[in-house]
Amino acid sequence: MSIRPGPDGPPRVDPDLDPDRATSEVALDSLPVRDLFAKFLDSELGRERFASVGMSVDRATLEREQRLVTEATALVRAQGSFSFVELADPRASLEEAGITGYALESSELLAVASFLERAGELRRWLMGASGSGTYPELRARATLLPVLDELAQMIRRHYLPSGELDDRASPELQRIRRGVERQRRTIETALQQQLRRLAADDILQEELITIRGERLVLPVRVEHRRRVQGILHGSSSTGQTLYVEPLETIELNNELVALLEEEQEEMRRIRAALTAAVAAQAGEVARAATGLGELEFQLAKGRFAVAYEAGAAEFASETEPVLELRGARHPLLVATLRERGRKVVPLDLTLDTARVLVISGPNAGGKTVALKTV
C-alpha cells in the first residue's frame, strides 16, 4: 500500500512508494476528500482504521463496502450515531500491563474500564438496532466485539466516583485508612492544645492547623521562631510565616507517616492485582479496540452520507458495463459552496457502449469539476 497516515491523522499518499498512484490521487482530489471524511472520525482508533484504507478493484470487496455504506446511512438516519468522542485507546496500557509485577495508575485502569463500557454500549446499541434482521453487515461486526463487562465492573467496584480507591477495595486498606483517621484526630487534639497556648501569646500567624509534607504543623510568626520548640518544615512565600512541628507531636506524626506509607503500598498492591486482571484479557481488550475502530469507521460513512446527501454506488453487470451518474456532486465543491450559502448544480452523465466522451465548453464552465466528479 502507498497510503500512510498524515501528520494530523488522515491518510496521505507516499509518492516515494508509488509515484504513479500519488499523481493520480492528487489529480483526482482524493486526498482532500479523505481529509473531508476524516472530520467525521473522533477517536484515534477510527482514524487509524481509516488510515489503513486503500483503493480496491475487487468487485466482491467493493459490493460489501457499498452494503455497509447503505446500512450505516440508514442507521444514522433512523437512530443517529454512536458517540466516539473522547474514546480512550487502551493499547498502551495493555503493553504496560504485560510487564510482570507492573501496576497501572488508577487513571489508566479507569480509562480501560471506560473503554470497555463504551465497547459494551456500542455492541448492545448495534445489536438492538439490528435485532429485526436489519443492518446484517454492521451486526456481524458488532458480534465480533468481545463481551468484557465483568472486567469493567471489577475495576469500577474498587473505585469511588471521584476516581479514588474505595476504602472497601480491600479489608487491609479499610483497616489502614481507619488507623490514619484515628491518628490524625490524636495529632489534631494535641496540636489544638498547643494552638490555644501559643495563640494567647500572639505567636501564631493564624489559629489553624496545616499540613506540610504529610505532617501536621502550626503557622508560627517568623519573629517568634525561638519560642516554639520543634522541627521547621518550610516557610510561606512571603517569609513571614514558618511551619513548625512541635516536639510534642513529632512521634505521633512519625506514626502517621508510617501508616500513610502502608496505605500507598496497599493501594499499589490493589492496582497491581487489577493490572494483572487486565493483562489476563489483553488479547480480548485489543480485539475490542480493533472492533471499535472498525465500527467507528463504518458509522462515519453513514454520518458523511447524511451530511452530504450521498448514497451508495450500484454496480452494473460485468457483461454490460455502463457508467451512469444521476445528480452527482463533488463533495469538495459541496463543502466549499456551503460555506458561501450556495448549492452545487448536480451532474448527470451516461457512458455505456462508447469508449470516449468529449466535454466542451467555456473556461470556468465546470469541465474539470465534471471530470473529477466522475
Side-chain angles (χ1 to χ4, degrees), residues 275-336:
T275 299
V278 171
Q281 299 192 61
E284 293 292 273
V285 178
R287 192 155 66 88
T290 300
L292 258 70
E294 169 69 17
L295 286 166
E296 183 186 12
F297 172 55
Q298 299 303 337
L299 290 172
K301 295 177 184 178
R303 293 172 59 198
F304 182 93
V306 169
Y308 282 85
E309 300 177 30
E314 296 179 10
F315 290 91
S317 166
E318 294 184 75
T319 57
E320 297 181 9
V322 58
L323 173 64
E324 183 176 4
L325 304 180
R326 300 174 187 170
R329 294 159 298 123
H330 197 300
L332 289 180
L333 191 58
V334 173
T336 300

Side-chain angles (χ1 to χ4, degrees), residues 93-108:
S93 294
L94 294 181
E95 292 182 14
E96 294 176 333
I99 302 171
T100 304
Y102 190 84
L104 290 170
E105 295 297 328
S106 292
S107 59
E108 295 174 301

Side-chain angles (χ1 to χ4, degrees), residues 72-83 125-126 299 303:
T73 305
L75 177 60
V76 171
R77 282 202 176 108
Q79 301 193 31
S81 186
F82 188 85
S83 174
W125 183 71
L126 281 173
L299 290 172
R303 293 172 59 198

Side-chain angles (χ1 to χ4, degrees), residues 85-329:
V85 175
E86 298 182 357
L87 177 68
D89 183 349
R91 291 173 297 181
S93 294
L94 294 181
E95 292 182 14
E96 294 176 333
I99 302 171
T100 304
Y102 190 84
L104 290 170
E105 295 297 328
S106 292
S107 59
E108 295 174 301
L109 287 165
L110 290 170
V112 171
S114 177
F115 167 80
L116 296 177
E117 288 162 351
R118 295 286 293 284
E121 290 168 6
L122 175 60
R123 189 180 195 278
R124 289 187 290 273
W125 183 71
L126 281 173
M127 296 296 283
S130 59
S132 60
T134 52
Y135 319 123
E137 294 284 354
L138 289 173
R139 181 184 177 87
R141 282 159 177 75
T143 58
L144 295 177
L145 284 176
V147 179
L148 296 167
D149 295 341
E150 288 188 9
L151 179 57
Q153 291 166 7
M154 176 194 297
I155 296 172
R156 289 291 186 194
R157 280 196 300 270
H158 288 77
Y159 284 91
L160 297 170
S162 63
E164 297 181 42
L165 273 171
D166 194 328
D167 291 355
R168 296 165 294 181
S170 77
E172 181 66 6
L173 183 62
Q174 190 171 47
R175 180 195 68 79
I176 293 170
R177 285 184 171 174
R178 285 176 177 172
V180 167
E181 288 305 310
R182 285 195 300 268
Q183 191 67 15
R184 280 194 170 128
R185 286 197 296 270
T186 300
I187 297 170
E188 287 173 0
T189 298
L191 285 176
Q192 285 290 351
Q193 295 173 356
Q194 292 290 320
L195 186 148
R196 286 191 293 269
R197 180 179 63 81
L198 297 173
D201 295 333
D202 200 27
I203 292 174
L204 300 179
Q205 191 71 265
E206 296 179 86
E207 293 186 31
L208 56 79
I209 298 170
T210 187
I211 297 176
R212 302 289 283 191
E214 299 297 346
R215 302 181 80 89
L216 277 69
V217 297
L218 295 175
V220 177
R221 293 179 185 275
V222 66
E223 62 268 23
H224 296 308
R225 170 65 182 93
R226 295 185 181 278
R227 298 182 61 183
V228 183
Q229 291 186 323
I231 298 175
L232 178 64
H233 288 282
S235 61
S236 65
S237 58
T238 62
Q240 298 302 307
T241 304
L242 302 177
Y243 299 102
V244 179
E245 179 183 8
L247 289 175
E248 291 82 357
T249 60
I250 289 176
E251 189 55 38
L252 293 174
N253 268 322
N254 287 343
E255 293 173 12
L256 174 62
V257 170
L259 282 170
L260 291 172
E261 289 174 354
E262 284 185 50
E263 180 189 26
Q264 290 299 316
E265 182 56 35
E266 178 61 12
M267 289 167 65
R268 188 194 179 283
R269 188 198 66 77
I270 294 169
R271 289 189 288 105
L274 293 174
T275 299
V278 171
Q281 299 192 61
E284 293 292 273
V285 178
R287 192 155 66 88
T290 300
L292 258 70
E294 169 69 17
L295 286 166
E296 183 186 12
F297 172 55
Q298 299 303 337
L299 290 172
K301 295 177 184 178
R303 293 172 59 198
F304 182 93
V306 169
Y308 282 85
E309 300 177 30
E314 296 179 10
F315 290 91
S317 166
E318 294 184 75
T319 57
E320 297 181 9
V322 58
L323 173 64
E324 183 176 4
L325 304 180
R326 300 174 187 170
R329 294 159 298 123

